[in-house]
Amino acid sequence: MGDSQQFEIWKKDIMPVLTSKVEEFHMLGYDRATQEDVWECVLAKLKKEKEYVRIHHLVRIILTLKITDYMTFLTIGAYKGPNWFDGETEFTFGDK
């Protein structure tokens, strides 16, 4: 895919599509869905593309995004989050 993609430039143009997808997720009961999370999920899917992605393909990916794919993305992101047990952070309990 390379660095020649212009997803951030297109983000402003496709904001109505992102808004529509977030509203769809809200209607399905997923009230915590945000435009930024949906955007990050779509970008993660597009990283797998080997060819240059056109804007109509980007819109199609957003419109066909399923709630299961979105929730899987969030779950994997939670697992990849900060490691609480890496030993760098010292936890204190009480007044100690």
Side-chain angles (χ1 to χ4, degrees):
M1 186 170 73
D3 294 331
S4 62
Q5 294 289 10
Q6 53 186 356
F7 296 133
E8 291 302 320
I9 296 171
W10 289 342
K11 185 177 179 181
K12 183 177 68 170
D13 296 332
I14 62 166
M15 194 55 70
V17 179
L18 285 171
T19 303
S20 173
K21 184 51 74 171
V22 169
E23 289 172 356
E24 175 187 332
F25 287 171
H26 287 184
M27 286 186 350
L28 292 172
Y30 295 92
D31 295 333
R32 294 180 130 186
T34 64
Q35 291 175 345
E36 196 58 37
D37 286 342
V38 171
W39 177 249
E40 292 298 323
C41 179
V42 169
L43 290 182
K45 288 184 82 157
L46 290 174
K47 285 182 182 177
K48 300 174 186 174
E49 298 285 330
K50 298 197 185 286
E51 296 180 14
Y52 185 79
V53 176
R54 299 186 187 274
I55 192 167
H56 63 84
H57 182 68
L58 175 63
V59 170
R60 183 182 64 81
I61 294 292
I62 295 169
L63 290 176
T64 60
L65 181 67
K66 296 178 181 144
I67 194 68
T68 54
D69 295 335
Y70 173 70
M71 293 305 292
T72 300
F73 168 77
L74 291 179
T75 303
I76 290 172
Y79 284 132
K80 289 182 178 179
N83 187 355
W84 294 92
F85 305 106
D86 64 358
E88 292 178 10
T89 305
E90 183 177 324
F91 295 103
T92 58
F93 297 100
D95 296 332
K96 297 180 182 180

